[in-house]
């Protein structure tokens, strides 16, 4: 029987590490994700009307979006808000119609949009937005407006910046006074792919070059159809530079104009986002994957070798003890068999965190799968956040089930109490922080503030769907037979020096979280850039591979620390297993602080509070996720090893 137990244990451990390694290799080879466009293609005939929509004004300096019409731009006759999903609203998107109207494949030159007269208030608002580097975002046929910029390090290489700057700062020749100039002339380029069998075409690109021009005209201003001296299509006089820029001052008249050019492209509609999502740094992602993979494979080999050889020796020795005197002299992890499954201190709280972690794990896993398959591409604005919210809500079923099963194992009887804590504790903490941050955004009159209706929808998802599902899962889990311990628990707990226990805990927290963080920190750089520098993040194939590597690393480092502590006759593994891998969240928050001071140019106090508030929420969620992964791995490991030895 002992030989069969040893063989069974070796087979289980060997198979798990081998399968993990093969899975990681496959994912590393296929980590370049594809995407499925979020909308159906639209065909346009020559002369068909193209309506440009405007989105929020964004800045990497303030992180506070504002509505396009918060500045004195030319409005349409009636401003109409476009329907937005939950994710778009939470992102601060405010998509509205605009007076920019094109005709498909019919170029326009020097089209006058309107003429506005600035006052003290509006001129100040423009200057403030220019000081904070705000950019104007527009949309045509679901494509965002971009500014092409040539790369100096590569010939004929172009990078695209999302949106154009509201204006620029400069000085007149011979003057030391710094002036603000507005970009009031836009040269649009609409790229299209023509169907070879018909006259229909599809839009595959939307670019712009902004200029600042102080337009001149003869006589009195009459209407938007009068000719301009600085921009006249009849005289073939086009705007090609900002040599005579439009200054922003009180009582200054600003004339907004635009050009439209159409350019045929070989890019097909299905590949039109490839230009926007061109990955110039893919080698860094591959290096991240290979580096993390080598670390985990090396660790997997070490863990497999240590566990198989060491445990084989231990189990053989323990199972060959024949006399009572020999059994009394046993040392190592078998000596604490009577205490290893003793319920820990604050076991209720551990059940809540494990249940919440299971909920997070399910949400992230399903989101990653759908994102890697392309269903949550950037073409589907707000789709990623919407999917994560709904998945979080519906994963409440598994959260309640996991917390109730663990609670019943601890011989708990008040399952409704633990269910309420599971349903409310983590969401209440996050919602409280979010509410305070949202109040700060409201105070800045930013469009990023979540409206009351959306806030009510979030509360409804929480109380109306998530909470009932948590109760359903808890009821199912609590009414199933309890998980039986592998060994019986002693009535009197074994005493461990308190100083040694704290030293083991501190050592586990400081060292255990390094490896999981080391696996993700390179990819974390790109995630932070996409969030705070307003860049697209779409390489979910790489991210999914990193996520799998993170799971394996959390499991392995926790098992190793757990085994060493058990060998030192320290049976307090419950909370330590959670904190060992969960401590990687501490390193994540410290890296976020490092990123703030080295990569971002945020100067406003409110913006800094928003950054650290949201990163605190992200770190807290990462703690719950990684801690639960480590705990589940350690729970499986301890039950496995203690079920393979003979205990009288």
């Amino acid at each position: 029987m002992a030989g069969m137990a040893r063989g069974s244990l070796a087979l289980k451990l060997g198979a798990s590490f081998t399968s993990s390694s093969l899975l990681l290799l496959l994912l590393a080879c296929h980590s370049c994700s594809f995407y499925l466009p979020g909308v159906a293609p639209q065909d346009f005939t020559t002369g068909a009307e193209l309506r440009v929509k405007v989105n929020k004004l964004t800045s990497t300096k303030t992180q506070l979006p504002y509505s396009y019409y918060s500045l004195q731009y030319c409005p349409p006759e009636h401003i109409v808000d476009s329907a937005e999903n939950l994710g778009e609203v939470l992102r601060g998107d405010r998509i509205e119609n605009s007076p920019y109207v094109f005709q498909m494949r019919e170029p326009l030159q020097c089209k006058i949009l309107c003429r506005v007269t600035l006052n003290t208030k509006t001129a100040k608002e423009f200057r403030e937005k220019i000081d904070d580097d705000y950019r104007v975002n527009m949309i045509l046929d679901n494509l965002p407006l971009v500014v092409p910029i040539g790369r100096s390090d590569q010939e004929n290489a172009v990078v695209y910046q999302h949106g154009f700057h509201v204006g620029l700062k400069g000085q007149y020749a011979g003057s030391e006074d710094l002036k603000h100039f507005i970009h009031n002339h836009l040269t649009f380029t609409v790229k299209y792919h023509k169907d070879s069998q018909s006259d229909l075409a599809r839009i595959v690109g939307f670019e712009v070059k902004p200029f600042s021009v102080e337009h001149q005209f003869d006589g009195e201003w009459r209407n938007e159809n009068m000719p301009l001296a600085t921009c006249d299509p009849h005289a073939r006089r086009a705007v090609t530079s900002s040599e005579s820029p439009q200054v922003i001052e009180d009582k200054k008249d600003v004339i907004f104009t635009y050009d439209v050019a159409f350019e045929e492209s070989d890019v097909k509609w299905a590949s039109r986002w490839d230009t926007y999502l061109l990955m110039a740094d893919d080698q860094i992602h591959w290096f991240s994957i290979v580096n993390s993979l080598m670390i985990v494979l090396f660790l997997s080999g070490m863990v497999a070798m240590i566990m198989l050889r060491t445990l084989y020796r231990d189990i053989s020795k323990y199972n060959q003890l024949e006399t009572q005197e020999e059994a009394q002299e046993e040392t190592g992890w078998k000596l604490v068999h009577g205490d290893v499954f003793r319920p820990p201190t604050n076991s209720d709280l551990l059940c809540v965190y494990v249940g919440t972690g299971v909920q997070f794990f399910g949400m992230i896993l399903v989101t990653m799968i759908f994102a890697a398959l392309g269903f949550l591409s950037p073409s589907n604005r707000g789709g990623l956040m919407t999917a994560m919210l709904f998945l979080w809500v519906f994963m409440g079923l598994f959260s309640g089930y996991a917390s109730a099963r663990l609670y019943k194992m601890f011989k708990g009887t008040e399952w409704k109490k633990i269910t309420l804590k599971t349903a409310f504790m983590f969401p209440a903490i996050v919602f409280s922080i979010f509410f305070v941050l949202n109040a700060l955004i409201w105070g800045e009159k930013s469009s990023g503030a979540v409206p009351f209706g959306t806030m009510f929808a979030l509360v409804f998802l929480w109380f109306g769907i998530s909470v009932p599902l948590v109760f359903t899962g808890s009821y199912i889990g609590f009414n199933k037979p309890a998980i039986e311990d592998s060994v019986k628990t002693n009535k009197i707990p074994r005493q461990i020096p308190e100083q040694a226990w704290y030293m083991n805990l501190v050592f586990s927290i400081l060292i255990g979280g390094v490896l999981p963080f080391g696996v993700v920190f390179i990819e974390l750089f790109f995630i932070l850039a996409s969030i705070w520098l307003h860049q697209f993040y779409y390489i979910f194939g790489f991210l999914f591979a990193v996520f799998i590597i993170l799971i394996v690393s959390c499991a392995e480092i926790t098992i190793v620390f757990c085994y060493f502590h058990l060998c030192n006759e320290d049976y307090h593994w419950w909370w330590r297993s959670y904190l060992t891998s969960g401590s990687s969240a501490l390193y994540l928050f410290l890296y976020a602080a490092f990123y703030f001071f080295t990569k971002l140019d945020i100067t406003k106090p409110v913006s800094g509070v928003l950054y650290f508030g949201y990163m605190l929420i992200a770190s807290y969620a990462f703690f719950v996720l990684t801690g639960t992964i480590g705990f589940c791995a350690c729970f499986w490991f301890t039950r496995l090893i203690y079920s393979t030895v003979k205990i009288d």
Side-chain angles (χ1 to χ4, degrees):
M1 292 297 293
M4 292 178 63
R6 293 192 299 270
S8 175
L9 176 63
L11 182 61
K12 290 179 181 178
L13 286 171
S16 64
F17 289 117
T18 303
S19 61
S20 299
S21 303
L22 291 175
L23 178 61
L24 290 171
L25 285 172
L26 289 173
L27 285 169
C29 294
H30 298 284
S31 59
C32 285
S33 65
F34 62 93
Y35 74 95
L36 302 175
V39 295
Q42 187 172 358
D43 297 315
F44 297 95
T45 59
T46 301
E49 189 176 76
L50 305 177
R51 291 193 171 272
V52 177
K53 295 182 179 180
V54 293
N55 201 348
K56 59 188 176 182
L57 308 175
T58 56
S59 168
T60 57
K61 279 190 174 182
T62 67
Q63 302 296 332
L64 295 170
Y66 287 90
S67 169
Y68 176 81
Y69 294 111
S70 63
L71 295 179
Q72 196 178 359
Y73 283 117
C74 302
E77 186 175 353
H78 300 287
I79 298 177
V80 180
D81 294 331
S82 298
E84 298 174 350
N85 58 43
L86 184 60
E88 286 178 303
V89 176
L90 293 176
R91 282 166 23 111
D93 286 343
R94 297 296 182 267
I95 302 174
E96 300 161 311
N97 62 328
S98 78
Y100 292 97
V101 181
F102 314 151
Q103 274 68 45
M104 185 66 176
R105 296 163 64 184
E106 293 183 1
L108 276 176
Q109 185 176 345
C110 201
K111 173 69 175 177
I112 299 177
L113 205 61
C114 75
R115 175 175 178 253
V116 300
T117 301
L118 301 178
N119 55 36
T120 304
K121 179 176 179 294
T122 55
K124 179 184 177 182
E125 290 172 345
F126 271 113
R127 285 194 292 266
E128 288 176 348
K129 293 298 185 290
I130 293 173
D131 287 336
D132 290 332
D133 287 342
Y134 269 88
R135 306 181 75 93
V136 179
N137 295 280
M138 297 182 177
I139 300 170
L140 178 64
D141 191 35
N142 201 43
L143 276 180
L145 180 68
V146 294
V147 179
I149 298 177
R151 294 185 59 169
S152 58
D153 57 339
Q154 296 182 18
E155 188 177 356
N156 298 325
V158 177
V159 294
Y160 294 94
Q161 293 183 350
H162 305 296
F164 62 92
H165 282 108
V166 172
L168 68 158
K169 293 184 290 186
Q171 299 170 326
Y172 286 116
S175 174
E176 296 182 356
D177 295 334
L178 189 66
K179 298 289 185 179
H180 294 76
F181 305 98
I182 186 174
H183 283 139
N184 61 324
H185 181 86
L186 304 177
T187 300
F188 294 104
T189 300
V190 179
K191 296 184 178 181
Y192 64 92
H193 181 78
K194 187 176 179 296
D195 185 9
S196 59
Q197 304 297 325
S198 65
D199 193 46
L200 299 176
R202 294 175 177 175
I203 297 175
V204 296
F206 186 34
E207 302 175 1
V208 70
K209 291 183 179 179
F211 299 98
S212 181
V213 181
E214 187 174 7
H215 286 299
Q216 304 292 333
F217 55 90
D218 298 327
E220 296 292 328
W221 177 263
R222 296 187 300 275
N223 53 45
E224 285 76 16
N225 295 320
M226 68 179 300
L228 299 175
T230 49
C231 180
D232 189 354
H234 302 291
R236 296 184 179 180
R237 188 181 297 113
V239 176
T240 57
S241 66
S242 299
E243 293 181 357
S244 180
Q246 175 65 61
V247 68
I248 299 175
E249 290 179 350
D250 183 24
K251 298 180 181 179
K252 271 285 185 180
D253 293 330
V254 179
I255 299 174
F256 290 90
T257 57
Y258 67 94
D259 303 335
V260 183
F262 290 86
E263 181 181 314
E264 188 171 359
S265 173
D266 295 330
V267 177
K268 295 184 179 180
W269 187 90
S271 304
R272 65 178 186 165
W273 277 85
D274 293 354
T275 304
Y276 295 81
L277 306 178
L278 180 64
M279 186 170 54
D281 46 18
D282 57 339
Q283 292 184 349
I284 300 177
H285 292 278
W286 279 112
F287 172 77
S288 171
I289 292 291
V290 173
N291 179 61
S292 302
L293 189 62
M294 290 300 103
I295 293 174
V296 171
L297 288 177
F298 178 71
L299 182 62
S300 299
M302 288 187 60
V303 171
M305 181 178 65
I306 292 173
M307 296 305 172
L308 291 176
R309 296 187 62 180
T310 306
L311 285 176
Y312 183 90
R313 185 185 67 245
D314 290 348
I315 294 171
S316 298
K317 181 180 68 174
Y318 293 149
N319 286 338
Q320 290 174 1
L321 295 176
E322 297 180 356
T323 65
Q324 186 176 2
E325 290 76 10
E326 290 176 324
Q328 291 176 349
E329 295 175 358
E330 65 186 18
T331 58
W333 55 268
K334 188 185 177 184
L335 185 62
V336 295
H337 65 80
D339 298 288
V340 72
F341 293 111
R342 183 181 303 280
T345 306
N346 297 320
S347 58
D348 290 6
L349 186 62
L350 181 62
C351 296
V352 171
Y353 270 109
V354 170
T356 305
V358 169
Q359 187 175 7
F360 248 109
F361 181 81
M363 178 196 72
I364 296 295
L365 181 63
V366 177
T367 301
M368 289 287 187
I369 293 174
F370 277 97
L373 293 176
F375 290 100
L376 301 175
S377 72
S379 62
N380 184 12
R381 280 186 310 275
L384 178 62
M385 188 171 293
T386 303
M388 292 181 68
L389 279 172
F390 278 96
L391 283 171
W392 163 264
V393 168
F394 289 108
M395 288 296 168
L397 182 70
F398 300 97
S399 172
Y401 180 85
S403 61
R405 295 296 293 155
L406 188 60
Y407 181 68
K408 189 169 185 178
M409 179 184 172
F410 291 152
K411 305 298 187 295
T413 57
E414 300 178 356
W415 69 275
K416 293 181 181 179
K417 176 182 175 183
I418 204 70
T419 303
L420 285 172
K421 290 182 179 180
T422 305
F424 287 100
M425 194 183 76
F426 179 84
I429 294 174
V430 172
F431 191 83
S432 299
I433 299 174
F434 175 75
F435 187 83
V436 173
L437 297 179
N438 193 62
L440 293 176
I441 300 174
W442 268 112
E444 296 294 322
K445 299 179 181 179
S446 168
S447 64
V450 178
F452 176 77
T454 306
M455 194 74 74
F456 177 79
L458 293 175
V459 174
F460 173 77
L461 288 174
W462 179 13
F463 284 85
I465 301 178
S466 179
V467 173
L469 286 176
V470 172
F471 266 88
T472 303
S474 294
Y475 179 81
I476 296 173
F478 193 78
N479 284 281
K480 289 188 66 176
I483 302 173
E484 296 296 333
D485 296 338
S486 301
V487 292
K488 292 183 179 181
T489 301
N490 293 334
K491 294 182 179 181
I492 302 177
R494 181 183 179 85
Q495 297 299 319
I496 297 176
E498 186 174 348
Q499 184 178 3
W501 184 85
Y502 278 113
M503 289 295 295
N504 289 338
L505 180 62
V506 172
F507 181 76
S508 299
I509 292 176
L510 293 178
I511 305 300
V514 172
L515 181 63
F517 173 75
V519 167
V520 302
F521 89 95
I522 295 180
E523 209 62 33
L524 180 64
F525 172 84
F526 295 98
I527 295 175
L528 293 178
S530 69
I531 296 174
W532 301 108
L533 297 180
H534 304 156
Q535 300 176 4
F536 282 127
Y537 188 90
Y538 72 101
I539 41 178
F540 293 103
F542 282 112
L543 189 60
F544 186 57
V546 170
F547 179 64
I548 299 299
I549 296 174
L550 174 67
I551 295 173
V552 176
S553 63
C554 287
E556 291 177 342
I557 195 67
T558 307
I559 289 174
V560 169
F561 274 79
C562 179
Y563 176 72
F564 288 154
H565 290 140
L566 290 176
C567 288
N568 288 329
E569 301 175 8
D570 185 352
Y571 60 87
H572 295 289
W573 64 272
W574 297 96
W575 274 110
R576 189 186 297 116
S577 65
Y578 200 100
L579 296 174
T580 297
S581 54
S583 61
S584 56
L586 173 63
Y587 296 95
L588 188 151
F589 189 78
L590 293 176
Y591 180 79
F594 170 80
Y595 187 88
F596 177 85
F597 291 108
T598 59
K599 300 297 180 181
L600 299 181
D601 191 22
I602 294 177
T603 55
K604 297 186 68 172
V606 172
S607 303
V609 172
L610 291 176
Y611 176 85
F612 283 103
Y614 285 125
M615 291 311 302
L616 179 63
I617 293 176
S619 300
Y620 185 33
F622 194 71
F623 164 75
V624 173
L625 173 67
T626 54
T628 300
I629 294 172
F631 172 83
C632 293
C634 196
F635 181 73
W636 165 81
F637 172 74
T638 53
R639 289 184 59 82
L640 179 64
I641 63 174
Y642 283 100
S643 64
T644 55
V645 295
K646 296 186 300 182
I647 298 175
D648 299 328

